[in-house]
Amino acid sequence: MRFRKPPFTPEVVREGLYSDLNLPFRHTPSAQAAIQNIALSGVVPGAVPGAESPRVPLLASAKPLWAALGGAALGVLGMAASYLGWPQAISPMAAGSTAGIYSPATIELGRKLAALGDCMVCHTNEDGAVRGQRGAGGRAMHTPFGTVYTTNLTPDAETGIGNWSLEAFKRAMREGISRDGHRLYPAFPYTAFAKTSDDDLTALYAYLMAQTPARAATPAAEMRFPFNQRPMLAVWNGLFHDNTPFAPTPGQSAEWNRGAYLVQALGHCGACHTPRNALGAEQGGAAALTGAIVDGWEAPALTSLSRSPVLWTAKALFDYLRKGHSPDHGAVAGPMGPVVSELQALPDAANPLTQLSAARRLFESACGACHHDGDGPKLLGLNHPLTLSSKLHADTPDSLIQTILHGVQQPATQEIGFMPGFRHALSDAQVAELVTYMRARFAPGRAAWVLTP
């Protein structure tokens, strides 16, 4: 097999495997869902409702029953083995090393995003004074499977996230994996946070790291067996977690897509307003946002299934979320009260949805295979956080441009590894675009470079 087009994501590798072996089937999430539907129901997709549906036999009659059962058992064991790998820890970062990196504007954006995500409400004990301050964690989250406690989000090095790098923070938000490698329970809604953009996660991280550290250890989770076996969460993620980033829906307006992003990502509205299955996962499809019961309170349907006697309008919803009441729908109460209180930090108008720019696509294609988020494979040596690179914080872009053009042909040590040069692959305009993007993304507190031909 020959892989020549980075980044080498699992999808790229899978595509290469199937293409090299001339296999026609692609194991996409939609294909996996279709297979599960057939296996569970035996109904062929596309059958006319109400008509006699053709059935798919779950066990082929040509095989003995013991052989079919044995094959099914092996399949389950194989799936479990593929998911039960223990994630690697991400090396701790020196506490305080992010000081001065992020601009006040980035931190302020992060404050608004934290309010949108209701971060401080969940990550503050009911008696916040006991643990020091907001965000110090310790709040009990009662679930049908046991009780978990929210973690300390302050930059304390020992009990909080003070030694977490941006890459470790993003992995937790998107994959539900802590910096030290242990899996997080989905009471922390990483299933929604996974759809958050890189820029918004960076701003949120900058805000949290700018808070006053509070020493407050997180109480151990009190989950019943077998739910206290955290490695089993890998199987749960394989079945129910989709970490595909949010993508705007073609044909919808920018305002509609912005709203969808806020609801599906940091807003995680479905965490309360969507019913869950027997294993605690949100039901998808037509069931999304159709209402649920949370702590004895009804989280009503947010769709056309709403039982409100008066139809909701954009103004009514705005008043409800901004003022806490609407003349046609009453006042906020119960768990929704703290949510509305936090939303007061947001502006009246939504900012435009950040689109995937050409410069970002260029970076992901040329650089993303090695300079990626997380602690994945180090294909050509180090995966040093670019946020801490002195080249990106320098007064001039000269050293960064030289590195992009010529790479690292003769590494000083074996640990550094080799980096190819791009002088024959990228035009001057593309290099300038890449340099400008990297400066804005990884050194947002520094002034933009002025590039001259």
Side-chain angles (χ1 to χ4, degrees):
M1 296 179 296
R2 299 177 181 177
F3 297 106
R4 298 181 178 274
K5 297 180 179 180
F8 301 116
T9 63
E11 291 76 18
V12 171
V13 174
R14 188 182 295 113
E15 183 71 20
L17 286 169
Y18 279 110
S19 61
D20 278 10
L21 296 174
N22 296 317
L23 297 177
F25 176 69
R26 298 291 187 267
H27 194 65
T28 61
S30 59
Q32 181 180 7
I35 292 175
Q36 291 175 344
N37 288 337
I38 295 174
L40 292 175
S41 67
V43 180
V44 177
V48 178
E52 181 66 21
S53 301
R55 309 292 293 183
V56 177
L58 299 183
L59 298 176
S61 58
K63 294 181 179 180
L65 180 60
W66 65 266
L69 292 176
L74 289 175
V76 171
L77 290 175
M79 182 184 72
S82 67
Y83 284 129
L84 287 178
W86 192 266
Q88 295 295 313
I90 295 179
S91 299
M93 180 185 68
S97 59
T98 61
I101 289 180
Y102 299 104
S103 67
T106 300
I107 295 174
E108 173 60 15
L109 173 60
R111 182 183 74 87
K112 296 175 181 177
L113 294 171
L116 170 66
D118 221 23
C119 301
M120 296 306 173
V121 171
C122 287
H123 287 268
T124 300
N125 189 284
E126 289 85 344
D127 185 5
V130 172
R131 297 181 66 84
Q133 68 181 64
R134 278 165 46 96
R139 188 182 188 93
M141 306 290 285
H142 303 291
T143 77
F145 316 103
T147 301
V148 294
Y149 296 87
T150 57
T151 54
N152 184 347
L153 290 185
T154 74
D156 179 69
E158 296 184 12
T159 63
I161 61 171
N163 61 6
W164 286 42
S165 64
L166 175 60
E167 287 74 20
F169 178 75
K170 287 182 177 179
R171 184 176 73 167
M173 293 290 283
R174 287 181 169 149
E175 301 179 40
I177 300 173
S178 184
R179 184 202 63 77
D180 63 6
H182 80 265
R183 295 188 179 275
L184 304 174
Y185 287 105
F188 170 64
Y190 59 86
T191 50
F193 296 159
K195 299 185 180 301
T196 308
S197 70
D198 275 350
D199 291 341
D200 282 350
L201 286 181
T202 299
L204 182 59
Y205 172 80
Y207 169 72
L208 294 176
M209 298 300 279
Q211 302 308 296
T212 302
R215 183 177 177 81
T218 303
E222 301 167 356
M223 303 294 282
R224 298 192 302 274
F225 182 85
F227 307 109
N228 58 355
Q229 304 300 307
R230 288 183 186 263
M232 294 299 296
L233 288 168
V235 178
W236 191 95
N237 288 337
L239 293 173
F240 305 119
H241 181 37
D242 177 14
N243 60 3
T244 305
F246 175 83
T249 299
Q252 295 290 353
S253 67
E255 184 180 34
W256 188 97
N257 276 305
R258 178 59 175 172
Y261 173 72
L262 296 177
V263 167
Q264 296 175 24
L266 275 178
H268 65 286
C269 301
C272 291
H273 291 269
T274 295
R276 297 176 180 267
N277 63 23
L279 291 179
E282 294 178 27
Q283 298 179 21
L289 302 176
T290 58
I293 300 296
V294 179
D295 294 336
W297 291 80
E298 180 188 13
L302 301 182
T303 66
S304 59
L305 296 179
S306 170
R307 299 183 182 89
S308 174
V310 178
L311 293 179
W312 281 89
T313 64
K315 183 181 185 307
L317 182 61
F318 177 88
D319 289 342
Y320 191 80
L321 296 179
R322 172 59 76 207
K323 303 175 183 178
H325 65 88
S326 167
D328 294 331
H329 302 279
V332 169
M336 192 64 189
V339 175
V340 171
S341 296
E342 290 292 298
L343 291 178
Q344 302 310 298
L346 271 64
D348 289 346
N351 295 325
L353 179 65
T354 302
Q355 302 289 345
L356 183 63
S357 66
R360 179 179 168 187
R361 285 194 294 269
L362 180 62
F363 174 83
E364 297 295 343
S365 298
C367 315
C370 297
H371 298 285
H372 50 76
D373 295 332
D375 197 33
K378 299 177 178 63
L379 300 179
L380 300 176
L382 293 175
N383 180 24
H384 187 71
L386 292 178
T387 303
L388 304 179
S389 173
S390 59
K391 298 181 183 66
L392 285 159
H393 291 270
D395 293 334
T396 66
D398 297 29
S399 295
L400 179 60
I401 292 174
Q402 291 289 349
T403 303
I404 293 173
L405 292 177
H406 303 290
V408 180
Q409 304 298 322
Q410 296 180 338
T413 66
Q414 292 183 349
E415 293 182 353
I416 297 176
F418 168 82
M419 173 181 164
F422 293 90
R423 63 186 183 277
H424 299 308
L426 300 178
S427 66
D428 290 347
Q430 287 176 314
V431 171
E433 188 176 26
L434 185 58
V435 166
T436 301
Y437 169 78
M438 293 176 67
R439 173 75 160 188
R441 174 175 175 180
F442 298 108
R446 302 290 182 178
W449 285 315
V450 178
L451 303 178
T452 57

